[in-house]
Amino acid sequence: MTVHRSPSWDMPLRTRVFVKALARERPAIRTLGPDDLTRVRAWVAPARPPYTWVTGPVHRDVAIESSGFAARDGHHVPVRIYRPRRAAASPRPALMWFHGGGWVLGSPRGYDPICSAIAHDTGVVVVSVDYRLAPEHRAPKAALDCVDATRWVAREAVSLGVRPTGIGVAGDSAGGNLAAVVSQVLRDEGGAEISYQCLVYPGVDATMSSPSVTEHAEAPVLTHSDMVAFLEHYLGEGPDALDPLHPLVSPLYAAELGGLPPALVQTADLDPLRDEGAMYARALRAAGVEVVHTNYLRAPHGFLSFPGATPAGRAARRDLTHWVRARTWPGTVD
């Protein structure tokens, strides 16, 4: 494989410092055994400086609650709910959040800064899903947990204090994949009304065939080798393994993209996933779906999680919350 380093790898100084420090501290995905996975999943950046200088704060005017539901196979799936404290019309709109981590890592607690910021800035109730992770739970278990979570919110809207309709779905990286898959499944099978989808540097093509996968094979934060390891964990092998072209894994290859909810697609220019996100945005638009796609220059994968280390992270959060407000509180945003 030939690796092409883009001139735009001249990231802002603070970003370069951060990603170098991250690379030193983070073990290679392929080397993590079961005990290592448990340990890495359990670690969460403390909600205090200097960590919050990088991640942003956990907003104190947002109440964080724990709840959960029974998935279709009876498994209890925890959720973390972010509810703005300030007075507003009730019930509030709901936004489902699916965290990133290659379907292998990540947790709702690790996304407290992002989810509390979305709830604070938009006034919506954010429901973050602790879906089952690979390799213990192979595809499509994570996707089905997220579908079931969204149906549960629609079904239990009254007890949850949210609207049963007009639900949004959102996520970053693997979570962006899951948000796209949930949108497609619920369009086809019903069970909840999805009004919009926010796909943040989403992985939508498990064939890893787009040009940016080669161009940024050794990029900061996410490398080609990381992608291979994540997909090996998620897809598994044998007769029950899903084909990389299956739409529950690669929503880009769904037979029909028409009729999906409006989409915000945010990609990072220094990301192996950049081109597949852009391709999905174009495919949605060609199918008649309303799409806003922004590619953030000089930004690596994962930038939404470290706004203190990259200007793109702050800009993308503002763009995302502005877009959500426009769809959940019509007439209140210019």
Side-chain angles (χ1 to χ4, degrees):
M1 174 182 294
T2 302
V3 178
H4 302 283
R5 295 186 180 276
S6 166
S8 60
W9 272 47
D10 180 23
M11 294 177 290
L13 176 60
R14 74 182 79 168
T15 310
R16 296 203 306 273
V17 171
F18 172 76
V19 298
K20 286 181 179 179
L22 184 66
R24 286 196 300 269
E25 295 296 324
R26 196 187 78 171
I29 304 306
R30 192 180 296 280
T31 67
L32 298 178
D35 292 341
D36 300 315
L37 284 174
T38 299
R39 174 179 51 80
V40 172
R41 289 169 181 167
W43 189 86
V44 174
R48 64 175 187 271
Y51 300 96
T52 53
W53 297 343
V54 175
T55 65
V58 177
H59 288 269
R60 295 183 178 180
D61 62 347
V62 173
I64 303 177
E65 310 162 11
S66 296
S67 187
F69 67 95
R72 63 189 69 193
D73 60 359
H75 177 81
H76 178 76
V77 178
V79 300
R80 198 162 171 85
I81 301 174
Y82 304 79
R83 196 182 304 274
R85 298 181 193 272
R86 64 182 183 274
S90 184
R92 293 176 182 267
L95 169 65
M96 308 299 299
W97 181 268
F98 311 125
H99 67 78
W103 310 278
V104 174
L105 304 175
S107 71
R109 284 190 64 237
Y111 278 72
D112 280 355
I114 290 177
C115 290
S116 68
I118 293 172
H120 172 270
D121 292 347
T122 66
V124 306
V125 174
V126 178
V127 181
S128 183
V129 182
D130 197 2
Y131 58 85
R132 281 171 277 185
L133 299 173
E136 300 93 326
H137 304 282
R138 307 286 191 180
K141 191 66 71 178
L144 299 182
D145 281 352
C146 293
V147 169
D148 292 350
T150 309
R151 287 175 172 156
W152 170 72
V153 167
R155 185 173 64 250
E156 301 296 328
V158 173
S159 64
L160 292 171
V162 300
R163 298 176 188 171
T165 59
I167 298 170
V169 295
D172 67 318
S173 196
N177 166 282
L178 295 170
V181 169
V182 168
S183 297
Q184 292 185 9
V185 171
L186 293 179
R187 175 203 59 185
D188 296 340
E189 300 179 5
E193 176 192 299
I194 305 302
S195 287
Y196 60 90
Q197 51 185 322
C198 302
L199 313 179
V200 183
Y201 30 85
V204 292
D205 179 6
T207 70
M208 297 189 295
S209 56
S210 64
S212 59
V213 172
T214 300
E215 179 185 356
H216 295 310
E218 298 298 330
V221 184
L222 181 69
T223 66
H224 178 267
S225 133
D226 294 334
M227 293 172 64
V228 170
F230 283 136
L231 283 166
E232 286 178 349
H233 280 318
Y234 189 48
L235 297 180
E237 56 185 14
D240 295 330
L242 288 187
D243 188 284
L245 292 171
H246 196 294
L248 286 177
V249 175
S250 295
L252 178 64
Y253 298 110
E256 176 57 59
L257 295 178
L260 289 170
L264 174 70
V265 180
Q266 297 178 310
T267 53
D269 201 49
L270 305 181
D271 186 355
L273 300 180
R274 180 195 65 203
D275 290 349
E276 60 197 75
M279 285 189 288
Y280 194 57
R282 289 195 298 270
L284 289 173
R285 191 175 290 116
V289 177
E290 177 191 347
V291 178
V292 173
H293 171 218
T294 304
N295 183 54
Y296 295 84
L297 300 179
R298 305 180 74 200
H301 184 82
F303 65 82
L304 198 75
S305 293
F306 41 90
T310 173
R314 295 193 299 274
R317 286 194 187 186
R318 286 195 302 269
D319 294 344
L320 189 154
T321 55
H322 185 279
W323 198 82
V324 170
R325 285 201 310 272
R327 275 144 190 81
T328 52
W329 307 106
T332 64
V333 176
D334 293 333

